[in-house]
Amino acid sequence: LETAPLRGMTAGFKLEPISFGNIEGWTENDFADAFPAFLRSCRETLETGGSFRRPPAVAGDRADWLSLCRHAAALGEKVPSAGARQFFERSFTPFLVRDLSRPQGLFTGYFEPEAMGDLHRHGDYAVPLYGKPPDLVAFDSEIEKRVKLRYGRMVEGDPRPYFTRRQIEEGALAGKGLEIAWLKSWADAFFIHVQGSGRVRLPDGRVMRLAYAAKSGLPYTSIGGLLVERKEIDRSEMSMQAIRRWMDRNPKQARALMWENRSFVFFRKLAVDDPTLGPPGAQHVQLTPLRSVAVDREIWPFGLPLWIETELPFPSTGGTREFRRLMIAQDTGSAIKGAVRVDVFFGSGDEAALMAGHMKSAGRMIVLLPRKIAERMNAAGEP
């Protein structure tokens, strides 16, 4: 099935039919572990269907998902692995995705970082994390097309880009009552921005969890990519930990480097239903470690089950391990662009941070499309 162009998509890829029997490792997967993550996505689809308000290239419509999501809800979270596997095989048709511009695919990782902080500014606690400012607005389609920005601010009726990272960190939002918490380190704040969520450990031992609320709309720039271009870090050694080490050695240059990423993220305090899970992703459901992934929202819908075949890094030993698993698309990100571009959520804690920071692997991806969508594609005679 040729899928370019669909709904305005320009980057080409192919969907090749594949049988469940030809997916290596499929029968050994723990479907009972994957099913609750899928069910959380289904509940959001049934309740609001927010994923379909801005239809991705390959998704069908909300109506194509409702009956199978009702079936999933009827099964409940405690369905055994065999029953969950039967559900996926009867409800979906698998397709191998071949990205014509990046045949090898790209699989990275992210996690929920933690930093020391306080609710009030004092002493070393001088780095703010902000809530969403009231003057940050989403432009309508006409303005977005004209200014080439989706978000910004209106100044006397004129659309403008929002403040840059440097402008905000130098005080553009100071004194407006938007500070949620205060950290000790600009680097800690920056990496919470990059991950899109975080935990702030308060002096009394309590942990405040923060979730993504909004972004400024300015383009995201990878500071890791800049460090490679400038030969500060070798590409083969690039990781989040390598960036942090460089920052520690070069504190003055580090601040200027962070400012080169003009994008800025705003947060909201989070009351979680299940503390064992991660923060809500872009679908507004809590993420499941090693089951939830971020995908390109322009191509794939939230709630999509997908099978990934890649390698996980083990930095402590320098080795890797094959990773074949059913995952659920529940998040997205500014850097996640492409048909076979996946960001794996690792959870929180030191091990999650280490593995996510070193994850950069090739691999392949198989998407599970609802049978209604697959049948409609075949009926349309798409090659």
Side-chain angles (χ1 to χ4, degrees):
L1 298 175
E2 295 281 356
T3 63
L6 285 177
R7 288 183 177 166
M9 189 183 69
T10 57
F13 62 93
K14 292 182 179 180
L15 296 181
E16 297 181 1
I18 185 173
S19 69
F20 285 107
N22 285 329
I23 301 177
E24 187 174 355
W26 175 261
T27 56
E28 289 77 39
N29 188 68
D30 184 358
F31 295 94
D33 183 57
F35 193 79
F38 175 73
L39 184 55
R40 278 186 282 277
S41 283
C42 263
R43 286 170 179 157
E44 191 281 331
T45 296
L46 292 171
E47 290 170 8
T48 66
S51 177
F52 298 94
R53 291 176 188 153
R54 181 165 57 93
V58 181
D61 298 309
R62 184 185 177 204
D64 295 313
W65 294 78
L66 291 178
S67 60
L68 66 88
C69 278
R70 291 190 188 102
H71 184 193
L75 291 175
E77 293 190 9
K78 301 300 183 181
V79 60
S81 184
R85 174 185 164 190
Q86 185 179 70
F87 166 82
F88 286 115
E89 292 179 351
R90 289 183 175 180
S91 303
F92 295 94
T93 300
F95 293 89
L96 175 65
V97 185
R98 293 199 183 277
D99 191 324
L100 305 181
S101 60
R102 186 191 281 150
Q104 75 278 12
L106 177 59
F107 296 78
T108 54
Y110 68 117
F111 70 107
E112 185 182 21
E114 182 176 302
M116 292 297 299
D118 206 341
L119 300 179
H120 307 284
R121 179 174 185 169
H122 65 91
D124 292 336
Y125 295 103
V127 178
L129 294 174
Y130 288 108
K132 180 183 177 182
D135 63 342
L136 175 63
V137 298
F139 294 140
D140 62 31
S141 57
E142 181 180 339
I143 294 177
E144 180 182 354
K145 185 176 181 180
R146 176 157 51 92
V147 301
K148 294 182 172 51
L149 290 172
R150 191 173 178 199
Y151 303 99
R153 59 194 181 108
M154 301 297 291
V155 179
E156 297 180 350
D158 186 28
R160 304 275 183 84
Y162 206 72
F163 299 114
T164 66
R165 175 176 297 278
R166 179 171 185 170
Q167 288 172 323
I168 293 173
E169 292 187 357
E170 290 187 335
L173 298 179
K176 298 181 182 296
L178 298 171
E179 296 86 356
I180 295 178
W182 298 85
L183 309 184
K184 294 182 176 181
S185 163
W186 291 106
D188 283 344
F190 182 86
F191 283 103
I192 289 178
H193 282 219
V194 171
Q195 301 301 320
S197 64
R199 302 182 183 212
V200 178
R201 187 164 294 277
L202 303 174
D204 62 6
R206 289 180 298 146
V207 174
M208 180 173 67
R209 296 182 74 176
L210 300 178
Y212 171 94
K215 60 183 177 181
S216 63
L218 292 172
Y220 174 86
T221 298
S222 167
I223 64 170
L226 294 178
L227 289 172
V228 169
E229 289 177 12
R230 296 166 187 175
K231 303 189 184 304
E232 296 286 347
I233 300 176
D234 188 85
R235 188 178 299 277
S236 64
E237 298 176 356
M238 175 52 65
S239 67
M240 185 193 72
Q241 287 73 21
I243 297 173
R244 289 298 298 256
R245 288 193 295 270
W246 184 91
M247 288 181 165
D248 291 340
R249 293 193 305 267
N250 304 276
K252 291 183 179 179
Q253 297 96 315
R255 190 80 188 280
L257 178 69
M258 288 184 280
W259 285 340
E260 293 195 55
N261 177 22
R262 298 187 299 153
S263 176
F264 199 87
V265 173
F266 303 98
F267 300 93
R268 59 185 173 89
K269 294 180 183 179
L270 178 65
V272 297
D273 296 326
D274 186 342
T276 66
L277 298 175
Q283 196 188 10
H284 303 295
V285 301
Q286 281 191 261
L287 302 175
T288 304
L290 295 177
R291 287 294 181 184
S292 298
V293 295
V295 296
D296 188 337
R297 178 67 181 79
E298 298 296 323
I299 301 175
W300 308 114
F302 294 140
L304 177 75
L306 52 101
W307 179 266
I308 67 172
E309 300 175 357
T310 185
E311 292 184 336
L312 295 186
F314 283 85
S316 57
T317 63
T320 60
R321 184 182 70 193
E322 287 185 345
F323 187 72
R324 296 186 176 94
R325 182 173 283 206
L326 184 66
M327 313 293 277
I328 311 298
Q330 296 175 322
D331 207 356
T332 191
S334 300
I336 311 304
K337 300 297 180 185
V340 189
R341 175 69 178 93
V342 176
D343 212 18
V344 176
F345 178 66
F346 279 85
S348 61
D350 293 341
E351 184 178 359
L354 193 62
M355 294 182 70
H358 285 83
M359 177 81 172
K360 191 173 183 180
S361 306
R364 73 174 192 167
M365 181 174 102
I366 296 166
V367 295
L368 275 58
L369 296 181
R371 285 187 175 272
K372 285 184 179 180
I373 298 175
E375 290 168 1
R376 201 156 58 235
M377 285 178 171
N378 290 332
E382 297 185 34

